[in-house]
Amino acid sequence: MRPEPVDPLAPSLTGPTLMNQDWRDLTYLHWAVPPERVAHLMPPGVRPDVHEGATYVGLVPFRMVDAGPGRRTSVPWAGTFLETNVRLYSVDERGRRGVVFVSLDADRLLVVLGARAAFNVPYRWARMQHHRAPGTGPGPQGDVHTYTARLRWPGTSGRSRVSVRVGAPRAADALDDFVSARWRLHTAVLGRTLVVPNSHEPWPLHDAEVVDLADGLLASVGFGELLDRAPDHVAFSPGVHTDFGLPRR
């Protein structure tokens, strides 16, 4: 089936809200790759999604804030943490576009264990820090955000340091929408592919300049060669509030 249109406006969630989260101070770094490079990492019945003939591998660090069950509830301490994920872009047999996570690194062991057990997503425990050096521009413009990570479990061979300088706000182009307007997660649980829907406002995006990039998280999941070249897409967002629905087929 042909993929659904890319739409920056989220469809309404139907049914109960499983959980809600705020994603803050998020940086997108993406590298274009041939779809066959990542096809083997897709769940059953899911294939790489493409934009102008290429798919993308994303390295996405951010702050998770006030996550909790249902709508507008948060879990103290455990609901706020740092995360960096390596992600791919997917489309299933019904044409539904989504995200497939290759890794998700977080600094809350409780979150790592719970998410691995509930959704079979590859969370890993890491030591992580985020630092913002204020700039002189209006709002976030000129701020330098630095994200660091060192894997603790499973595996200890990945380290990362990413620094970006935030630029001016920008209107989303077609590639921005392709990587950010994603309204579901594709994941395999006991051999069956499930989708977890989500909904949020369109991402407010800013230009961003890479100041420092010394990453081993991509290499830890088999994409080390990407660091031989600059990212093909870079953006920053102050963030969005997100609601998730129940998993479904």
Side-chain angles (χ1 to χ4, degrees):
M1 180 178 291
R2 291 174 60 87
E4 64 189 359
V6 175
D7 190 344
L9 298 178
S12 298
L13 288 180
T14 59
T17 298
L18 175 65
M19 58 184 170
N20 76 102
Q21 304 172 347
D22 281 357
W23 299 332
R24 300 298 180 200
D25 295 329
L26 180 144
T27 292
Y28 286 116
L29 303 174
H30 286 99
W31 289 261
V33 299
E36 57 270 20
R37 173 69 178 83
V38 301
H40 66 289
L41 297 170
M42 296 287 138
V46 177
R47 65 185 186 275
D49 199 3
V50 296
H51 173 73
E52 296 184 350
T55 193
Y56 286 79
V57 178
L59 179 68
V60 184
F62 65 100
R63 295 191 303 118
M64 182 81 76
V65 178
D66 292 337
R71 290 181 179 271
R72 297 292 177 180
T73 60
S74 61
V75 177
W77 184 78
T80 296
F81 53 92
L82 300 176
E83 181 175 316
T84 297
N85 60 65
V86 177
R87 59 194 275 181
L88 308 175
Y89 298 96
S90 52
V91 61
D92 62 24
E93 294 168 326
R94 295 169 56 181
R96 298 174 297 182
R97 288 185 148 112
V99 171
V100 169
F101 290 110
V102 186
S103 65
L104 305 99
D105 300 326
D107 61 350
R108 290 281 188 264
L109 180 58
L110 180 64
V111 171
V112 169
L113 296 176
R116 289 173 71 95
F119 300 110
N120 195 36
V121 287
Y123 264 98
R124 306 183 297 187
W125 187 28
R127 294 187 185 275
M128 308 183 81
Q129 291 185 325
H130 168 259
H131 175 71
R132 179 181 68 89
T136 58
Q141 287 181 242
D143 291 357
V144 174
H145 289 262
T146 299
Y147 316 81
T148 62
R150 179 171 66 84
L151 289 181
R152 302 180 72 178
W153 177 87
T156 59
S157 61
R159 294 175 179 261
S160 180
R161 180 180 174 86
V162 177
S163 292
V164 297
R165 179 176 290 108
V166 180
R170 76 184 191 208
D173 61 20
L175 180 55
D176 287 326
D177 285 340
F178 176 82
V179 299
S180 69
R182 293 282 153 172
W183 309 122
R184 59 194 60 84
L185 157 69
H186 288 116
T187 186
V189 178
L190 299 176
R192 301 171 63 187
T193 297
L194 299 179
V195 298
V196 182
N198 71 84
S199 180
H200 57 73
E201 66 268 29
W203 286 95
L205 295 177
H206 287 248
D207 292 333
E209 171 194 3
V210 176
V211 177
D212 186 19
L213 179 56
D215 177 73
L217 302 181
L218 286 167
S220 73
V221 290
F223 291 107
E225 81 280 3
L226 298 182
L227 274 300
D228 293 338
R229 54 188 172 95
D232 299 294
H233 171 266
V234 181
F236 175 86
S237 178
V240 295
H241 177 80
T242 308
D243 292 319
F244 287 86
L246 295 175
R248 61 192 65 168
R249 292 296 302 274

